[in-house]
Amino acid sequence: MFQLKNFSNYTKLLLLSVLATGAIATEAIAHKVEISGDVGGTIHLEPNDNPQAGKATLAWIALTRKGGQTIPLQQCNCQLAVYAEPRQKNAAPLLQPSLKAVTAEKYQGIPGAEIIFPKPGAYQVELKGTPKAGANFKPFQLNFDVTVAATAR
């Protein structure tokens, strides 16, 4: 059994800091972040960023402008496409799921879609967007690498 009482206060603090940093880093890499121009996007795939082949996955992308202002789907002409990897130049999308406004975590009305990845492997999820009238951001293209697991039995 590991006991902290055998360590100095400095060592205890150092160990706890390392453990806390590891927990934060693990959480931080769960969501994938991409930036294009003045737009950033964070993708999340339900459940737990671990999509499974043949099962419906809710994918949502929190879009924000530089400075942190959220870009809801109602302000964006957005298109979602899914490509198999490795992606060939000029390849047609494998899937083009319809986007809908979703509310997830602290975000409201952000782009989301249900995706069913056909088989395990590597994919690229691409979100392209241009501003609708009255919106103020530059056109963007965000590409997220996604690994899809085999369906659990």
Side-chain angles (χ1 to χ4, degrees):
M1 177 82 181
F2 182 77
Q3 295 181 344
L4 286 178
K5 70 180 181 180
N6 298 329
F7 294 95
S8 70
N9 285 340
Y10 175 77
T11 304
K12 288 177 192 176
L13 182 59
L14 182 62
L15 283 171
L16 290 174
S17 295
V18 168
L19 291 172
T21 302
I24 291 168
T26 300
E27 181 63 28
I29 61 172
H31 298 292
K32 297 171 181 137
V33 179
E34 291 291 326
I35 298 172
S36 175
D38 64 345
V39 175
T42 305
I43 191 169
H44 180 75
L45 303 153
E46 299 287 348
N48 303 318
D49 289 310
N50 188 23
Q52 294 182 357
K55 289 190 173 184
T57 297
L58 175 61
W60 51 266
I61 301 170
L63 292 176
T64 56
R65 289 195 54 213
K66 189 174 183 178
Q69 181 185 8
T70 300
I71 301 171
L73 183 58
Q74 71 183 21
Q75 292 181 6
C76 183
N77 292 311
C78 289
Q79 298 86 38
L80 189 67
V82 178
Y83 297 89
E85 288 283 71
R87 183 175 170 181
Q88 303 299 319
K89 187 173 181 162
N90 300 321
L94 187 62
L95 304 167
Q96 292 181 294
S98 298
L99 288 167
K100 61 182 178 181
V102 298
T103 297
E105 295 182 3
K106 64 180 181 179
Y107 303 100
Q108 295 185 358
I110 59 174
E114 188 173 282
I115 301 173
I116 300 176
F117 295 96
K119 60 184 181 178
Y123 294 87
Q124 188 174 79
V125 175
E126 178 181 271
L127 182 68
K128 290 183 181 180
T130 58
K132 288 186 176 178
N136 186 19
F137 59 89
K138 294 177 184 171
F140 64 88
Q141 178 178 321
L142 303 171
N143 295 302
F144 302 95
D145 294 327
V146 174
T147 301
V148 176
T151 304
R153 298 191 192 271

